[in-house]
Amino acid sequence: MGPVSNGADVSASMISALFRQHHGDLVRLAVLLVGDQPTAEDVVQDVYASVHARWTKLPARDSGLSYVRAAVLNRCRSVLRRRGVASRVSLSFRAAEETLASAEHEAMLCEDRRRVLQALALLPCRRREVLVLRYYLDLSEAEIAEILGISPGTVKSTAARGLAALARALGEQS
Amino acid sequence: MTRTEERLRDALLTAASRVQDDALRPLAAPGRRIPEYAPRAASRRRTWLPPLAAAASVALIAIAVVAVAGYLQHRNNAPAPTSPAAGPPRYYATLEGNNRTNLEEVIVRATATGAVVTRVPDPVSPLPRGTGTAAPPSSTATPNPNASLMQPLDIATTDDRTFYVVYGIQTVTGYGDLVIESFRLSNAGQPSPLIQVNGGQLSGQGTTRAGGSWVNPRIGGFAVSPDNGKIALALKASSSSTTSDEILVIDTRTGSHAVWRGGLDRPNAAFAILGLSWTSDGRSLAFLAQWCSPPQRAFSNTGSDVCGGATRSAQVRELDTTSAGGSLSSARLLLAQSARYPYIARALISPDGTSLTAILLSGPVPPGTGLGPNAPERLSVVRISVGTGTVTATFFQGVDPVSVWSTLTADSSGRYLMLTHTDVSLRSDDTRYAVGWIDAGHFRQLPLNPDGQPVAW
């Protein structure tokens, strides 16, 4: 997925439209990686501005969403590193639950889900990303490979290892 | 689908469902031009100027080592440096994210090759430890709410041997005190044990998680005087501050603190201090003052200090640190943003105090380059005479489209500079950096860890 040579293929308005259409989805994706909504919104805002600034070098329009998703993933990774620890995510999930504690919230995010999210957050970054893309976005191995810039085989093995680690953490037999 | 897969999918969908589209903060439309940024000719061009903070948040950091020895004198007839330097520092230290643990760590690298010389273990948190850990990197243990760890936040050095690191004590509830530690490298590059600096425990800089998000303490600058006798930090003046708006100077011999705050505030503008540098006598401290108007929130969760789509102005000032503290307005004005210098991104004072080495940005990008108009076309590293305000040497010039987030550090001689600026990667859009020499305008890159952070040089 390289940049197109002719910037006329993609217009700034199309970029805006792409983000308007997928704003919520991108924030949700970021939330699952960074653990809290304010940071997730900032991540998407950052990506939006940066993509907007370079719209004529973006990939062809049919892969624009993949490009943006990849940018969101990379930005999430950078944010976690820059702010210190990705493992904070594990705490962030807990913090988010504390901050947003409400009957409705507690009902929605029951103990079992919380355990799963905490176990997910403790996985290495790449495994977490693969699992989120696979089981939240329902992307194929090929699509995940394109976004992460790795081979489909690596996606498969990474997902398998990630699931195995999750199963162990959750006390299941994988 | 296995039971694990079912549980994972259910948990992800449920967590994601908490994000409601109608409750999202609207995306900020990149449309406001920054007056100081765009010369008059730019008004005929695109007027949608994406916010500066956005460019900063793209920040893909590249670190360059600017070698000016010899070149300066030959090309620019520059005065000799205050102290002769046989060459650039042999080592430099960075804060880098560890891909395995996802923790920040202090890493010492060799200037010549960029290779890792040593990794410096984090100090033990002074807080009581419970069982378990606050942030198990890649284990499946449950985080212990009573535990804490030390996170490196900034780093500085006076040479390539003695390094100072600001650590934040991180707990489940947020950051507590800051602690300054130092270590020294042996000739073989091995670090001594960390030692806490006298007077190096700083309270009142803690942050509390907001909405589950960790917020790093604001450190706008960190510099050690050449004799290691004083350490200066740009910090928050109060818990309500959102930027680094005061200067704290620690006397490492006595442990005493002197504080300068207030006096430079402007109505409807956010004031911040970005970057500190000492003269060789350890008396004067230069800082870059920045005002963002209106005081717009600028992606604080991503660690950006850059004005978010706002009007920006800046000054370079010199503080006499021999007093016991006072107002920032007592600092002498050395250089102000102007039509001549439309964007002073960073500035360092020379060891003798007679000149500044600054990162200047100018723009805009010409049409047809494929780069957005928020990106300044030119980045220059120049020396400016304090006496005349004129450029007396140009060390580096280049096209650097999103370099609004930049840092500049100098070695103890002032001859060798390290430039931190953005590096666009259209494919990965990720933080990258590289070390290289800039010699006569030519950048020679060295291999380096791809995820850069502050650098001590």
Side-chain angles (χ1 to χ4, degrees):
Chain A
M1 183 175 64
V4 294
S5 56
N6 184 357
D9 286 350
V10 183
S11 71
S13 61
M14 290 174 59
I15 294 298
S16 297
L18 178 71
F19 273 85
R20 277 198 304 272
Q21 182 181 353
H22 297 285
H23 185 197
D25 294 335
L26 293 171
V27 171
R28 280 183 276 274
L29 173 62
V31 161
L32 296 176
L33 294 170
V34 300
D36 69 279
Q37 187 168 332
T39 302
E41 291 186 46
D42 281 354
V43 162
V44 174
Q45 172 66 62
D46 288 351
V47 172
Y48 173 57
S50 65
V51 168
H52 207 289
R54 305 192 304 275
W55 55 269
T56 58
K57 285 196 172 180
L58 291 180
R61 67 186 69 178
D62 57 354
S63 59
L65 182 56
S66 292
Y67 176 87
V68 169
R69 282 173 172 166
V72 168
L73 259 61
N74 283 320
R75 182 56 47 81
C76 288
R77 205 178 303 140
S78 295
V79 165
L80 290 171
R81 282 180 178 159
R82 180 173 295 279
R83 290 169 52 208
V85 247
S87 49
R88 289 173 189 161
V89 171
S90 63
L91 301 175
S92 294
F93 276 121
R94 173 177 292 186
E97 290 157 21
E98 291 166 355
T99 305
L100 303 174
S102 67
E104 181 185 11
H105 174 74
E106 287 302 319
M108 292 177 66
L109 197 63
C110 67
E111 180 61 28
D112 183 66
R113 291 165 180 150
R114 180 164 51 208
R115 285 185 60 208
V116 174
L117 292 176
Q118 286 179 341
L120 176 71
L122 292 172
L123 293 179
C125 197
R126 181 69 84 193
R127 291 184 190 176
R128 185 167 63 247
E129 291 170 354
V130 167
L131 292 182
V132 168
L133 293 174
R134 178 71 186 90
Y135 294 99
Y136 170 61
L137 291 183
D138 271 333
L139 298 184
S140 67
E141 288 169 359
E143 290 170 320
I144 296 171
E146 181 190 11
I147 289 175
L148 295 179
I150 57 180
S151 71
T154 302
V155 171
K156 190 172 184 177
S157 60
T158 303
R161 282 194 289 268
L163 282 174
L166 267 187
R168 284 194 299 274
L170 298 172
E172 294 180 358
Q173 297 295 324
S174 59
Chain B
M1 183 175 286
T2 66
R3 170 72 176 141
T4 304
E5 289 173 303
E6 289 175 355
R7 293 173 71 185
L8 174 61
R9 187 187 299 276
D10 173 66
L12 290 173
L13 292 174
T14 303
S17 70
R18 290 185 292 154
V19 178
Q20 300 298 318
D21 285 2
D22 55 4
L24 293 177
R25 191 171 66 242
L27 288 168
R32 184 179 299 177
R33 291 197 317 124
I34 292 80
E36 301 95 316
Y37 225 45
R40 286 185 293 275
S43 61
R44 298 191 302 274
R45 299 173 182 151
R46 305 180 189 110
T47 57
W48 47 277
L49 195 59
L52 280 180
S57 67
V58 200
L60 306 172
I61 299 175
I63 297 164
V65 180
V66 183
V68 295
Y71 160 69
L72 290 182
Q73 295 184 18
H74 291 302
R75 174 167 176 166
N76 302 298
N77 196 25
T82 302
S83 59
R90 184 176 176 186
Y91 303 114
Y92 63 93
T94 68
L95 307 185
E96 300 178 18
N98 184 304
N99 288 328
R100 183 178 56 83
T101 64
N102 283 322
L103 290 165
E104 294 282 303
E105 61 182 346
V106 177
I107 291 181
V108 177
R109 291 180 179 271
T111 299
T113 63
V116 174
V117 174
T118 189
R119 299 173 187 272
V120 181
D122 290 337
V124 175
S125 169
L127 297 182
R129 278 183 176 273
T131 57
T133 173
S138 49
S139 72
T140 55
T142 301
N144 176 7
N146 297 319
S148 63
L149 52 80
M150 303 282 276
Q151 285 293 291
L153 300 171
D154 209 341
I155 190 165
T157 184
T158 55
D159 48 41
D160 60 350
R161 290 295 192 275
T162 307
F163 293 86
Y164 295 80
V165 186
V166 184
Y167 288 92
I169 303 174
Q170 185 204 346
T171 68
V172 172
T173 57
Y175 276 97
D177 289 354
L178 303 181
V179 178
I180 303 174
E181 306 261 353
S182 72
F183 67 90
R184 184 163 179 81
L185 286 181
S186 68
N187 287 335
Q190 291 307 303
S192 67
L194 286 163
I195 299 173
Q196 186 172 324
V197 169
N198 189 19
Q201 180 142 2
L202 311 175
S203 58
Q205 297 296 321
T207 59
T208 304
R209 290 178 313 180
S213 171
W214 253 267
V215 179
N216 278 5
R218 289 287 177 186
I219 303 176
F222 180 41
V224 184
S225 65
D227 66 352
N228 296 286
K230 294 178 180 176
I231 296 176
L233 299 100
L235 298 169
K236 293 191 305 180
S238 70
S239 59
S240 61
S241 299
T242 58
T243 63
S244 48
D245 52 354
E246 76 166 20
I247 290 176
L248 168 70
V249 174
I250 303 169
D251 185 323
T252 60
R253 296 178 180 87
T254 66
S256 62
H257 291 182
V259 174
W260 285 262
R261 67 165 68 107
L264 293 180
D265 296 326
R266 295 177 179 176
N268 196 33
F271 168 68
I273 297 166
L274 303 176
L276 302 171
S277 58
W278 289 95
T279 54
S280 59
D281 60 7
R283 297 172 63 92
S284 295
L285 180 72
F287 63 93
L288 180 73
Q290 170 184 281
W291 293 267
C292 298
S293 179
Q296 183 172 335
R297 178 174 174 274
F299 312 119
S300 58
N301 281 313
T302 54
S304 170
D305 283 321
V306 180
C307 302
T311 299
R312 177 192 190 268
S313 62
Q315 294 178 349
V316 184
R317 287 178 170 259
E318 179 186 23
L319 193 67
D320 180 356
T321 64
T322 58
S323 68
S327 169
L328 288 168
S329 61
S330 64
R332 183 167 71 104
L333 179 63
L334 301 180
L335 182 69
Q337 181 174 291
S338 63
R340 186 181 196 179
Y341 303 122
Y343 198 113
I344 307 167
R346 296 285 165 172
L348 300 174
I349 196 165
S350 64
D352 63 5
T354 62
S355 64
L356 299 170
T357 302
I359 300 175
L360 302 179
L361 305 179
S362 58
V365 173
T369 61
L371 297 168
N374 73 319
E377 179 192 19
R378 309 296 302 178
L379 176 146
S380 304
V381 180
V382 302
R383 184 174 58 227
I384 300 171
S385 166
V386 169
T388 64
T390 58
V391 172
T392 59
T394 299
F395 304 148
F396 174 70
Q397 283 188 319
V399 173
D400 185 58
V402 282
S403 56
V404 291
W405 199 91
S406 308
T407 64
L408 188 68
T409 52
D411 74 333
S412 56
S413 73
R415 293 176 63 173
Y416 299 98
L417 306 172
M418 181 168 281
L419 170 68
T420 300
H421 67 96
T422 53
D423 179 21
V424 174
S425 168
L426 290 174
R427 174 62 186 91
S428 65
D429 194 22
D430 201 359
T431 299
R432 300 188 309 178
Y433 75 152
V435 165
W437 294 96
I438 296 176
D439 187 2
H442 180 62
F443 178 69
R444 284 179 281 176
Q445 186 169 324
L446 294 172
L448 198 68
N449 182 296
D451 192 3
Q453 285 284 20
V455 174
W457 165 256

